[in-house]
Amino acid sequence: MRIVLKNPQQLPNEIEIDNTLHTLQQMLGGYIEIVRLPTNSDIAIIVNDSGKLIGLPPNLEYEGDILVGPVIFTGVDGEDLVSVTDVQVRQIYDYLKHNDYWLEVEDYVSR
């Protein structure tokens, strides 16, 4: 599955992963929580469910809150997580430009 991975204080990367719960939990370091991108409900944002409790670093501003630790973006098809499309990748990068906790819009200019 093609995803966008965003680690704190780093620019995002597109990578391929196995589409399994185990892989997602391993990448995020525990149980996961899934929310939707505010600007496109066909994009899921996946985070560590206990990230704040275990002290993971801030990553993104989200709907008046802060998402911490690594963040995974995937596509959504009904109830299933699916690969992100090229259009969705552009939408994710646009969202990140304005909601990254650490990096500025200028850091994303070359992306």
Side-chain angles (χ1 to χ4, degrees), residues 5-87:
L5 174 64
K6 171 66 177 75
N7 286 302
Q9 299 183 19
Q10 296 178 16
L11 288 170
N13 291 300
E14 294 172 53
I15 62 172
E16 291 281 336
I17 65 167
D18 291 333
N19 188 359
T20 65
L21 176 60
H22 176 75
T23 298
L24 294 170
Q25 289 176 328
Q26 190 174 34
M27 290 181 70
L28 297 176
Y31 293 110
I32 63 171
E33 178 180 0
I34 301 174
V35 296
R36 300 291 177 104
L37 190 71
T39 57
N40 182 341
S41 64
D42 290 333
I43 298 173
I45 302 173
I46 309 169
V47 298
N48 182 310
D49 185 50
S50 303
K52 288 181 183 176
L53 295 173
I54 61 174
L56 294 178
N59 193 346
L60 301 175
E61 296 176 17
Y62 176 80
E63 301 286 278
D65 197 4
I66 301 294
L67 301 180
V68 300
V71 174
I72 293 173
F73 294 86
T74 72
V76 177
D77 183 14
E79 295 291 318
D80 297 324
L81 300 177
V82 297
S83 291
V84 289
T85 65
D86 290 339
V87 170

